[in-house]
Amino acid sequence: MDRKGYLGIDIGGTAVKAGLVNSKGEVIVRSETDIDRSCQHETVMQTVIRSINELCASNQIDIHSMTGIGVSSPGSVNSSSGSIAISGGNVPNWGGTKICAILEEEFGLPVSVANDGNCVALAEAWIGAARGCDDVVCVTLGTGIGGGIISRGKLIEGRNGYAGEIGHFVTHAGGRECACGGHGCFEKYAATSALVKEGMMLRDRWYTGRNIFEDANAGDEEALALVDRWTDEVAYGIAGLVHIFNPEVILIGGGVSAQGGLVIQPVREKVNDIIMQDFTENLTVKRASLGNDAGMVGAVKHLLDEIAAGTVKE
Ligand code: BMX
Ligand code: ZN
């Protein structure tokens, strides 16, 4: 096995994924380590360090033969300073974490970090469903909504690396309160968690997206109406993004994207109905393809781009 390569780390709400990724974006070996956020004796960064050590030990990887570590993290990631912004977004105690400094100190390797939605977009444009596309808007529907925008082949990071935070793009003036401190954010209406929240008010059984879609797929009128209202929310938010970025591909990721007929197809039709006709030209709306690997692979792509740009030293 080729032991040269990169480590891709994907920090999520419940687990840390770690993988050995080669220069083509292939994941050679991977692991998943649970995060216990209530646990006092181990911080999330200690879980990350442990997951790297365990991945290397169980696959005979010499960490010193690695070229670097790419990290994907939720929240406002300052990719120039390699740390999480002061607020830490929706994740408790995450603000201010100096991800790059901690890992560089621990492993003596170059490290880069980027927001999770940005990493998914980078991975999909590199080797996934948007491969070869230069203008991509990527939307991941989950507990929140992650986003990443690639324009003219370049990830839009903004001044500090915070760009693409589309979950907090306001779609309802004065709307529902959001964990970010604002009101009416896109994710409060269009994340999978928003669908489930509405579902739970209608039927006890609708406490998971899976049950809602199972009933909708079986033709239950109330479930179909619920999903239809929710895909309106998804489509209106995406339509706004189409007018701003004029993409050629919109990718929808997250577990619900497996629902082709109930999610991808209606969102595609609704977006095309809402937007100005000029923007429909050559526009494709489709499912993201890399699933669980996207964060790790995109984190490595971000590292490769930083090395190529000279902002991270090899
Ligand atoms: C939130 C925000 C984003 C993240 C998105 C997707 C935090 C901690 N996270 O909007 O940075 O990209 O969720 O997260 O503020 P997921 O957990 O739903 O995948
Ligand atoms: Zn918000």
Side-chain angles (χ1 to χ4, degrees):
M1 199 190 289
D2 180 8
R3 299 276 166 217
K4 285 227 166 55
Y6 307 85
L7 293 174
I9 307 298
D10 181 2
I11 301 170
T14 56
V16 172
K17 298 190 190 87
L20 169 63
V21 180
N22 69 15
S23 55
K24 290 189 218 149
E26 293 160 341
V27 182
I28 311 298
V29 287
R30 52 170 74 64
S31 71
E32 193 164 331
T33 311
D34 285 344
I35 298 175
D36 182 359
R37 288 204 186 269
S38 61
C39 127
Q40 300 298 313
H41 69 271
E42 189 173 85
T43 65
V44 172
M45 286 312 291
Q46 283 166 335
T47 310
V48 170
I49 291 169
R50 182 161 60 86
S51 74
I52 292 175
N53 284 327
E54 287 173 4
L55 179 85
C56 291
S58 47
N59 295 286
Q60 295 87 47
I61 297 167
D62 173 11
I63 183 99
H64 304 294
S65 71
M66 295 288 106
T67 309
I69 305 173
V71 182
S72 159
S73 164
S76 298
V77 177
N78 186 323
S79 50
S80 348
S81 70
S83 50
I84 302 298
I86 297 300
S87 80
N90 300 340
V91 178
N93 306 322
W94 194 226
T97 306
K98 294 184 170 56
I99 296 182
C100 288
I102 293 171
L103 296 180
E104 278 160 11
E105 158 97 19
E106 181 74 25
F107 298 109
L109 288 172
V111 184
S112 93
V113 61
N115 168 266
D116 52 6
N118 286 353
C119 288
V120 173
L122 283 171
E124 293 287 344
W126 187 23
I127 56 158
R131 186 183 187 147
C133 301
D134 278 345
D135 294 280
V136 183
V137 168
C138 188
V139 180
T140 60
L141 306 174
T143 314
I145 295 186
I149 293 130
I150 291 175
S151 183
R152 296 274 164 124
K154 261 186 77 73
L155 176 71
I156 299 186
E157 289 202 278
R159 179 67 186 85
N160 301 310
Y162 306 158
E165 197 58 275
I166 64 178
H168 304 282
F169 174 56
V170 176
T171 54
H172 290 250
R176 296 174 189 159
E177 195 176 352
C178 182
C180 75
H183 285 84
C185 296
F186 184 35
E187 71 178 30
K188 297 308 291 181
Y189 298 84
T192 309
S193 58
L195 170 74
V196 172
K197 215 165 176 188
E198 292 280 305
M200 276 162 50
M201 292 196 277
L202 297 169
R203 242 181 252 180
D204 288 349
R205 180 181 143 66
W206 289 346
Y207 62 92
T208 69
R210 181 166 305 154
N211 288 355
I212 296 170
F213 283 107
E214 194 176 291
D215 293 351
N217 276 310
D220 182 305
E221 294 287 338
E222 202 181 5
L224 285 166
L226 170 67
V227 171
D228 184 51
R229 287 195 297 279
W230 174 73
T231 54
D232 275 351
E233 295 289 349
V234 177
Y236 272 97
I238 290 179
L241 297 169
V242 170
H243 287 150
I244 302 171
F245 298 107
N246 181 204
E248 61 178 316
V249 183
I250 307 238
L251 291 184
I252 301 179
V256 290
S257 64
Q259 300 289 335
L262 285 175
V263 177
I264 305 294
Q265 177 69 20
V267 168
R268 179 186 297 133
E269 288 168 8
K270 289 175 188 192
V271 167
N272 275 292
D273 280 350
I274 301 163
I275 60 179
M276 284 188 260
Q277 208 188 340
D278 302 337
F279 288 78
T280 61
E281 238 174 78
N282 309 318
L283 176 69
T284 312
V285 177
K286 60 181 178 179
R287 180 185 177 188
S289 68
L290 298 174
N292 269 337
D293 282 349
M296 290 184 288
V297 172
V300 166
K301 180 66 168 87
H302 188 262
L303 173 72
L304 288 169
D305 290 349
E306 297 257 281
I307 291 173
T311 39
V312 164
K313 298 271 170 291
E314 225 179 314

